[in-house]
Amino acid sequence: MATLLQVQGLKTQFFTQDGVVNAVNSISYDLNEGETLGIVGESGCGKSVSVLSLMQLIPTPPGKIVAGEAWFQGRDLLSMDAEEIRSVRGNKIAMIFQDPMTSLNPVLTISQQVSEALELHLGMDKKQARERSVELLELVQIPDAANRIDDYPHQFSGGMRQRVMIAMGLSCNPQLLIADEPTTALDVTIQAQIIDLVKQLKEEIGMAVIWITHDMGVIAGIAARVNVMYAGHIIESAGVKDLYGDPRHPYTLGLLASMPRLNAERKEKLTPIEGLPPDLIDMPPGCPFAPRCSYAIDRCLAENPKLETVARRHAAACWVDVTRKER
């Protein structure tokens, strides 16, 4: 498969009164056409900031993309001017945000909000955009779409609002859909419906997907490859089966151990990851996970390892081989 997106050395910082927040620290990865990439990690690890940087949606000031490139269809997204990046957003790259209630404008109808991208990017007139908006709402399985198109966001449930966000994202047939924790605010049943819907639409349209979440269970059901992030770094990258079957970083081991399992004994307790994430303003000199890591050796505290290949299409940033305890 051809490479759709190539991120190289992306580094994003926030310049605050307390100091420089190192939100994303020189991450690199590729995304192929039609592929689903999962990005996982706890809150504050840089997942959302990394993709908002690609879209140039970082608030400036205080945020700034200080280094890196993001090549999409032969063009560097990070070097585009304001007009160029606007032509990409919502057109070739679409994004679904975490909370559909705050992402949708409460004083505009669903028709107005879905039609906007169609008129802007595809040059449709109002009648054509309205008809296409109804088709999109039907595509994401909103009942009685033709009569609901003039309703306002507050008249829809949380799950239905998220379906509207997906319809808006798909309106211009994007090559890449970025979903930033789109099911976090929804109950488990609706989560499953939204995940199944995105998987179905991905197959029909053939788009690539970046799915951001802190839920390892969600990633297992939707992604082909996974990047695990911690303190602004990608600390492990692998195919989803390899990541779950043969994790190579202690943080990944901790995430998997903290997941509830259907086949576990009733009295079996979940294993938490002890300690707290590092201060992104005052980063430690070594591996950022070392203070919380039971595998840590002296080198971990002094030197931060690079992401290196440990198996076929499997990379980890760790001085210790967790399968052998030490290397």
Side-chain angles (χ1 to χ4, degrees), residues 237-265:
S237 179
V240 66
K241 291 183 179 178
D242 291 333
L243 190 87
Y244 285 76
D246 185 26
R248 296 298 188 93
H249 195 284
Y251 179 62
T252 310
L253 286 170
L255 289 178
L256 294 173
S258 65
M259 287 175 58
R261 300 177 183 277
L262 292 175
N263 60 353
E265 297 290 335

Side-chain angles (χ1 to χ4, degrees), residues 7 10-14 21-27 29 39 42-60 62-67 70 78 95 97-98 178 180-181 210 212-213 229 231-233 280:
V7 179
L10 176 62
K11 187 174 184 179
T12 303
Q13 297 176 335
F14 290 86
V21 178
N22 299 286
V24 179
N25 297 299
S26 300
I27 67 170
Y29 62 88
I39 302 179
E42 59 199 71
S43 298
C45 73
K47 306 185 302 294
S48 296
V49 173
S50 69
V51 294
L52 289 171
S53 298
L54 302 180
M55 305 279 278
Q56 292 193 31
L57 291 174
I58 297 296
T60 304
K64 185 179 181 181
I65 302 167
V66 297
L78 305 185
M95 192 162 182
F97 295 94
Q98 182 171 343
I178 299 173
D180 186 6
E181 303 204 43
I210 296 178
I212 300 168
T213 184
M229 289 191 68
H233 297 272
L280 297 181

Side-chain angles (χ1 to χ4, degrees), residues 115-146:
S115 296
E116 182 179 13
L118 296 170
E119 294 176 27
L120 177 64
H121 294 300
L122 301 184
M124 293 185 179
D125 60 30
K126 291 190 178 300
K127 181 181 179 182
Q128 291 172 325
R130 181 183 175 85
E131 291 173 353
R132 178 57 179 158
S133 296
V134 173
E135 292 175 1
L136 287 164
L137 294 189
E138 291 173 344
L139 182 67
V140 297
Q141 300 169 14
I142 290 181
D144 197 20

Side-chain angles (χ1 to χ4, degrees), residues 43-180:
S43 298
C45 73
K47 306 185 302 294
S48 296
V49 173
S50 69
V51 294
L52 289 171
S53 298
L54 302 180
M55 305 279 278
Q56 292 193 31
L57 291 174
I58 297 296
T60 304
K64 185 179 181 181
I65 302 167
V66 297
E69 298 175 340
W71 293 94
F72 177 79
Q73 296 185 327
R75 303 172 69 194
D76 181 13
L77 297 171
L78 305 185
S79 65
M80 290 181 179
D81 61 28
E83 185 176 347
E84 288 176 315
I85 195 66
R86 274 198 300 269
S87 71
V88 173
R89 293 193 206 117
N91 185 15
K92 295 182 178 181
I93 303 177
M95 192 162 182
I96 306 170
F97 295 94
Q98 182 171 343
D99 186 354
M101 195 63 227
T102 56
S103 300
L104 292 169
N105 191 323
V107 299
L108 296 179
T109 66
I110 298 303
S111 175
Q112 290 172 302
Q113 298 187 62
V114 178
S115 296
E116 182 179 13
L118 296 170
E119 294 176 27
L120 177 64
H121 294 300
L122 301 184
M124 293 185 179
D125 60 30
K126 291 190 178 300
K127 181 181 179 182
Q128 291 172 325
R130 181 183 175 85
E131 291 173 353
R132 178 57 179 158
S133 296
V134 173
E135 292 175 1
L136 287 164
L137 294 189
E138 291 173 344
L139 182 67
V140 297
Q141 300 169 14
I142 290 181
D144 197 20
N147 292 321
R148 300 295 314 268
I149 193 76
D150 291 318
D151 286 349
Y152 290 87
H154 72 271
Q155 295 174 273
F156 288 75
S157 66
M160 287 298 167
R161 287 196 295 267
Q162 197 58 283
R163 289 172 187 265
V164 172
M165 288 295 297
I166 294 171
M168 291 172 64
L170 299 178
S171 59
C172 297
N173 295 320
Q175 285 82 37
L176 172 59
L177 178 69
I178 299 173
D180 186 6

Side-chain angles (χ1 to χ4, degrees), residues 170-316:
L170 299 178
S171 59
C172 297
N173 295 320
Q175 285 82 37
L176 172 59
L177 178 69
I178 299 173
D180 186 6
E181 303 204 43
T183 61
T184 299
L186 307 177
D187 64 58
V188 176
T189 304
I190 304 302
Q191 279 188 29
Q193 292 177 5
I194 295 297
I195 291 168
D196 287 342
L197 175 62
V198 172
K199 288 167 68 176
Q200 174 190 332
L201 295 174
K202 174 186 174 296
E203 295 302 320
E204 291 178 5
I205 298 173
M207 62 188 175
V209 177
I210 296 178
W211 190 286
I212 300 168
T213 184
H214 61 270
D215 190 333
M216 296 288 283
V218 168
I219 284 296
I222 196 168
R225 283 195 306 123
V226 186
N227 288 343
V228 182
M229 289 191 68
Y230 185 80
H233 297 272
I234 294 176
I235 52 89
E236 186 161 9
S237 179
V240 66
K241 291 183 179 178
D242 291 333
L243 190 87
Y244 285 76
D246 185 26
R248 296 298 188 93
H249 195 284
Y251 179 62
T252 310
L253 286 170
L255 289 178
L256 294 173
S258 65
M259 287 175 58
R261 300 177 183 277
L262 292 175
N263 60 353
E265 297 290 335
R266 279 190 177 182
K267 295 182 180 180
E268 186 177 328
K269 293 183 178 180
L270 299 178
T271 305
I273 301 175
E274 301 293 342
L276 296 171
D279 183 351
L280 297 181
I281 294 177
D282 185 21
M283 292 283 282
C287 172
F289 187 63
R292 307 173 69 184
C293 181
S294 60
Y295 292 88
I297 57 177
D298 290 343
R299 190 178 186 184
C300 301
L301 299 171
E303 188 179 353
N304 191 11
K306 294 181 179 179
L307 191 68
E308 295 184 348
T309 301
V310 294
R312 186 176 178 272
R313 298 202 72 194
H314 193 155

